[in-house]
């Protein structure tokens, strides 16, 4: 077997003379596709190396156990963990990159194709597998429907009205439909079962395949001897329903894995890198290195952690902090991948690669939670490991037992086939991991990050809940609460706000529209971190921060305040309150009813945090926290 991998282009690897041999590849040749594996190897802080692989052929608990057992036999590996729902295998070792070759070869030796875990390769494979499953399911459904039509006629005539020759004709027609349907649609299960048997292993598809094949063979045997019953209809219909289940399982996995994809989607697919000669080029975030400089236009996400070297703007950091108000940044400020530049273009010097960013670390926490093992999941894995061989032994004992008490060979065989099908352990092997990953994914889509594999199991034992305020108890959106201004002032402020993407500007626009105030277009200039200004009838009109507008600082401790000032007139103040999430009050009341202690820890100032705590009847509050 030939195994070699490459970073980047083939000519670079050839020029460097980098040809790596696998454990069982005495004469390795250059293979650019597999050489790319090296670019996906991570170096961890402690010096260990890690690699995540996508294994499309892993679709049951037996496959997962087989992979983990095979990889843990490699002396170089410190750990290997298979994630059934995402078909991902995470490995960790101490030593050279070349160990990745041994990992790949070991997986191939036990019948599993593997590739670097990357979004594009996963999506491509999932799409191809969906198409194959749909085709197989369509063929099985067509065959089952036609065989069932013939079977209805046979069942109707079993009382004696149908001649033996006619019944045999219908059975032969059923066989002519069933055999090609089973051969085509059953490949989904047969291929997996064959791979397992070749490596002297058992997986969930072995009993399924054995049951389907035995049912067809037994039916053909009955047909050749003129028996009264065949099972082509049941066999093909079973195959059809199994394929429906496999397709739904595939869809569930894809939806369950969307939480991590949602995180990765926060980062831009491409970024503008500035070269030393002053030109710009579009590159993927993975190609950025520490020291590179990137250009981030207004309205675009930042693709790497870094430090602002030029420009002033407002950054939406809600994805990282939950804070509803943007953060004003200028030269020297630290920015993070996944946050969004709102107002003016920035030049950022990259300090961390895409794999070392804060966003990447959050993504890894999500992946850890998805593939981690709680107590019940470990129990399910142990059960699934023993279940497949036990099922075969029970089925064999069933056949022997029925023969011993005088049943016919055909009757005993059919009962044994029923045992194989009914006792298939897919429910145990799939249900618990899928429930875990679906729960973690749904929690993330509701803004809750689960970073411990057994957190869901331990939630039943909690006696206290600690809430963040912004984005957790509140929606992270602001509404105009009170002002020292009249209707005309609100109209003027809203017209200025039309030229800004700031959340406070959006809140002013929403308040004006709620009051049915007509707004005219106005040319205005936004000053990042300060506000918006325009000139009306020779007078400068400003909407923004107190010191920029020329207003005294707020008397209270509110952070969400803007001022409007026209010329030398007295400034007018607009105050904003946070909006509680729907059902927040009911949720807190229910938690208190259950005897759970409630606490708010907030980075906001004391007054706005205290207002939310009072509204929710929560006494334990700490504000001004980092």
């Amino acid at each position: 077997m030939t195994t070699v991998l490459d970073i980047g282009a083939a000519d670079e690897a050839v020029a460097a003379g980098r040809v790596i041999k696998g454990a069982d590849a005495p004469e390795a040749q250059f293979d650019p596709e597999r050489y790319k594996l090296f670019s996906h190897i991570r170096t961890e802080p402690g010096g260990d190396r890690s690699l995540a692989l996508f294994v499309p052929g892993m679709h049951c608990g037996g496959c997962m156990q087989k992979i983990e057992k095979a990889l843990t036999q490699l002396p170089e590996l410190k750990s290997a963990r298979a994630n059934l729902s995402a078909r991902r295998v995470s490995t960790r070792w101490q030593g050279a990159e070349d160990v990745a070759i041994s990992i790949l070869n070991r997986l191939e030796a036990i019948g599993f194709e593997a590739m670097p875990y990357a979004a594009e390769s996963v999506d491509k494979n999932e799409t191809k597998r969906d198409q194959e499953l749909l085709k197989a399911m369509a063929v099985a459904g067509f065959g089952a429907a036609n065989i069932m039509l013939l079977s209805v006629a046979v069942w109707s005539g079993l009382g004696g009205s149908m001649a033996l020759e006619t019944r045999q004709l219908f059975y032969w027609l059923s066989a002519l439909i069933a055999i090609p349907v089973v051969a085509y649609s059953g490949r989904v299960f047969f291929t997996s079962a064959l791979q397992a048997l070749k490596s002297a292993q058992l997986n969930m598809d072995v009993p399924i395949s054995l049951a389907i094949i035995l049912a067809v063979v037994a039916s053909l045997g009955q047909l050749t001897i003129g028996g009264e019953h065949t099972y082509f209809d049941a066999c093909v219909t079973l195959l059809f329903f199994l394929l429906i289940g496999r397709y739904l399982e595939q869809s569930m996995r894809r939806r369950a894995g969307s939480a991590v994809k949602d995180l990765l989607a926060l980062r831009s697919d491409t970024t503008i890198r500035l070269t030393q000669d002053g030109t710009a080029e579009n590159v993927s975030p993975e190609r950025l290195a520490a020291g590179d400089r990137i250009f981030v236009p207004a309205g675009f996400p930042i693709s790497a952690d870094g430090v602002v070297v030029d420009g002033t703007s407002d950054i939406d950091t809600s994805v990282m902090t939950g804070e509803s108000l943007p953060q004003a940044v200028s030269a020297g400020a630290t920015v993070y991948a996944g946050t969004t530049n709102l107002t003016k273009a920035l030049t950022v010097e990259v300090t961390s690669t895409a794999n070392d960013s804060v966003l990447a670390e959050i993504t890894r926490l999500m992946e850890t939670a998805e593939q981690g093992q709680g107590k019940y999941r470990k129990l399910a894995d142990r059960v699934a490991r023993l279940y497949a061989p036990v099922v075969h032994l029970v089925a064999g004992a069933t056949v022997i037992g029925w023969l011993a008490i005088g049943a016919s060979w055909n009757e005993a065989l059919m009962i044994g086939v029923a045992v194989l099908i009914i006792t298939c352990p897919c429910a145990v092997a799939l249900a618990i991991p899928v429930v875990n990953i679906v729960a973690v994914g749904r929690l993330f889509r509701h803004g809750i990050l689960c970073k411990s594999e057994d957190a869901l199991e331990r939630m039943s034992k909690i006696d206290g809940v600690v809430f963040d305020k912004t984005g957790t108890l509140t929606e992270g959106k602001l509404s105009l609460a009170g002002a020292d201004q009249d209707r005309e002032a609100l109209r003027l402020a809203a017209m200025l706000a039309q030229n800004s993407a700031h959340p406070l500007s959006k809140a002013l626009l929403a308040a004006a529209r709620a009051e049915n105030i007509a707004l005219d277009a106005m040319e205005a200039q936004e000053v990042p971190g300060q506000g918006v200004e325009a000139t009306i009838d020779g007078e400068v009109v400003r909407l923004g921060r107190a010191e920029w507008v020329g207003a005294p600082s707020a008397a209270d401790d509110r952070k969400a305040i803007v001022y409007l000032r026209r010329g030398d007139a007295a400034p007018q103040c607009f105050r904003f309150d946070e909006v509680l999430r729907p059902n927040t009050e009911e949720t807190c009341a229910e938690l208190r009813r259950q005897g759970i202690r409630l606490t708010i820890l907030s980075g906001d100032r004391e007054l706005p945090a205290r207002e939310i705590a009072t509204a929710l009847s929560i006494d334990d509050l700490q504000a001004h926290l980092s």
Side-chain angles (χ1 to χ4, degrees), residues 337-482:
T339 58
T340 302
N341 181 22
L342 293 178
T343 49
K344 296 291 183 181
L346 294 172
T347 300
V348 176
E349 182 173 317
V350 176
T351 56
S352 299
T353 62
N355 284 333
D356 295 323
S357 66
V358 173
L359 181 64
E361 182 61 27
I362 295 174
T363 303
R364 283 191 288 274
L365 286 174
M366 282 293 299
E367 292 176 342
T368 300
E370 288 178 350
Q371 73 181 34
Q373 286 188 308
K375 178 177 65 174
Y376 296 109
R377 191 165 176 181
K378 290 177 181 177
L379 176 61
D381 286 348
R382 289 197 297 269
V383 171
R385 187 181 308 150
L386 300 173
Y387 212 75
V390 170
V391 164
H392 290 84
L393 289 174
V394 170
T398 300
V399 173
I400 295 172
W402 279 91
L403 289 174
I405 63 176
S408 66
W409 169 254
N410 182 70
E411 183 181 7
L413 180 61
M414 287 300 101
I415 294 174
V417 168
V419 171
L420 284 175
I421 295 170
I422 293 170
T423 57
C424 179
C426 288
V428 175
L430 295 177
I432 293 179
V434 168
V435 164
N436 186 75
I437 194 171
V438 168
V440 169
R442 180 164 294 184
L443 284 172
F444 171 75
R445 284 189 286 275
H446 285 78
I448 302 170
L449 179 64
C450 180
K451 62 179 183 177
S452 172
E453 61 270 15
D454 60 346
L456 297 178
E457 296 173 9
R458 291 189 289 115
M459 280 188 68
S460 62
K461 301 177 182 179
I462 63 173
D463 57 10
V465 174
V466 179
F467 289 110
D468 180 33
K469 177 180 70 68
T470 307
T472 303
L473 296 173
T474 66
E475 288 188 340
K477 298 178 181 178
L478 299 167
S479 63
L480 186 62

Side-chain angles (χ1 to χ4, degrees), residues 532-562:
V532 185
E533 70 175 4
T535 302
I536 301 176
D537 299 331
E539 290 184 311
V540 175
V541 182
R542 284 184 171 182
L543 175 72
R545 298 166 62 94
E547 57 271 22
W548 184 65
V549 169
S553 298
D556 58 20
D557 196 28
R558 293 174 183 267
K559 182 165 55 175
I561 294 179
V562 294

Side-chain angles (χ1 to χ4, degrees), residues 500-516:
S500 171
H502 197 282
L504 295 183
S505 297
K506 295 179 180 179
L508 279 171
L509 282 171
R513 293 187 180 116
E515 295 290 332
N516 295 318

